[in-house]
Amino acid sequence: AQTVTQSQPEMSVQEAETVTLSCTYDTSENNYYLFWYKQPPSRQMILVIRQEAYKQQNATENRFSVNFQKAAKSFSLKISDSQLGDTAMYFCAFMKHKSGSEKLVFGKGTKLTVNP
Amino acid sequence: KAGVTQTPRYLIKTRGQQVTLSCSPISGHRSVSWYQQTPGQGLQFLFEYFSETQRNKGNFPGRFSGRQFSNSRSEMNVSTLELGDSALYLCASSLNVGAEVAFFGQGTRLTVV
């Protein structure tokens, strides 16, 4: 079974600064997907970024980028130029590749607060 | 295009009652998954449906059940409610199985008293 661990329950950052959220996972699969989802107080889970394990290049989406270390089973999220609207819970998630299932395995989340 | 719609947004039920939650996926999406989110256990997978068939089920008691209709809308039912069933129930839709990206609704907040 897959497990996802987020070791930082809470983090804070000043507006315009950079912050990195950590995520490690455990799996025996070779091909899989990793995700970062954001859940603001509105409760809606919003996809931030997605990484395919068979791609060595780290995914980026505007101010969001990941550092994917497959051998170390590490998948951290870097948020550059933090904005007040980035305040939210952030969840790291794992999905098997081509498994016939969309099942996501989530970490416990990191509560990020961006301070003005 | 409308997103994933979950109804109702909030629900208060008494122990022992049953409840039905509804999820309408994004138009054209055929795969629907359900998750339970609690402060203690985090996000846990309940079940997944594709073309009206349950494809995967999480580790929840038989009181939790679901179904999917021909228009891809899905419902989940919890019978004999317990206090511990109080949670945010999230629904996610995907274009197809293997689409590898899930889009979530805003959830239904269930409180059992």
Side-chain angles (χ1 to χ4, degrees), chain A residues 33 35 37 39 42-45 47 50 91 95 98 100-104 106 108, chain B residues 9-10 35 37 40-41 48 55-56 94 96-102 104 106-107:
Chain A
Y33 296 91
F35 305 84
Y37 279 91
Q39 187 178 40
S42 67
R43 304 178 338 203
Q44 178 142 25
M45 297 281 279
L47 178 64
R50 169 178 174 267
F91 293 94
M95 181 190 290
K98 301 288 186 207
S101 171
E102 301 295 307
K103 175 185 174 181
L104 288 160
F106 286 92
K108 295 288 191 185
Chain B
R9 293 288 306 279
Y10 300 91
Y35 294 84
Q37 185 177 20
Q41 298 298 316
E48 173 183 22
R55 296 187 64 90
N56 208 346
S94 303
N96 281 303
V97 172
E100 298 130 9
V101 176
F104 285 80
Q106 288 188 284

Side-chain angles (χ1 to χ4, degrees), chain A:
Chain A
Q2 289 75 33
T3 59
V4 177
T5 302
Q6 293 179 250
S7 59
Q8 304 149 316
E10 292 192 41
M11 292 191 73
S12 63
V13 64
Q14 292 299 120
E15 197 175 5
E17 293 188 347
T18 296
V19 64
T20 298
L21 309 183
S22 300
C23 171
T24 59
Y25 58 94
D26 187 27
T27 183
S28 58
E29 303 286 328
N30 190 46
N31 291 324
Y32 46 87
Y33 296 91
L34 295 165
F35 305 84
W36 279 98
Y37 279 91
K38 167 186 175 181
Q39 187 178 40
S42 67
R43 304 178 338 203
Q44 178 142 25
M45 297 281 279
I46 301 165
L47 178 64
V48 175
I49 201 163
R50 169 178 174 267
Q51 175 78 42
E52 299 165 26
Y54 55 89
K55 289 187 177 179
Q56 292 187 338
Q57 187 172 4
N58 288 326
T60 62
E61 287 288 341
N62 301 312
R63 298 182 295 108
F64 299 89
S65 61
V66 298
N67 183 2
F68 173 49
Q69 302 289 329
K70 190 174 183 179
K73 295 181 181 175
S74 170
F75 183 61
S76 60
L77 174 70
K78 185 171 84 171
I79 306 174
S80 304
D81 186 26
S82 297
Q83 301 176 359
L84 296 178
D86 295 333
T87 293
M89 284 291 293
Y90 286 81
F91 293 94
C92 178
F94 172 101
M95 181 190 290
K96 286 184 185 178
H97 176 63
K98 301 288 186 207
S99 64
S101 171
E102 301 295 307
K103 175 185 174 181
L104 288 160
V105 177
F106 286 92
K108 295 288 191 185
T110 296
K111 183 179 180 181
L112 176 67
T113 301
V114 180
N115 299 308

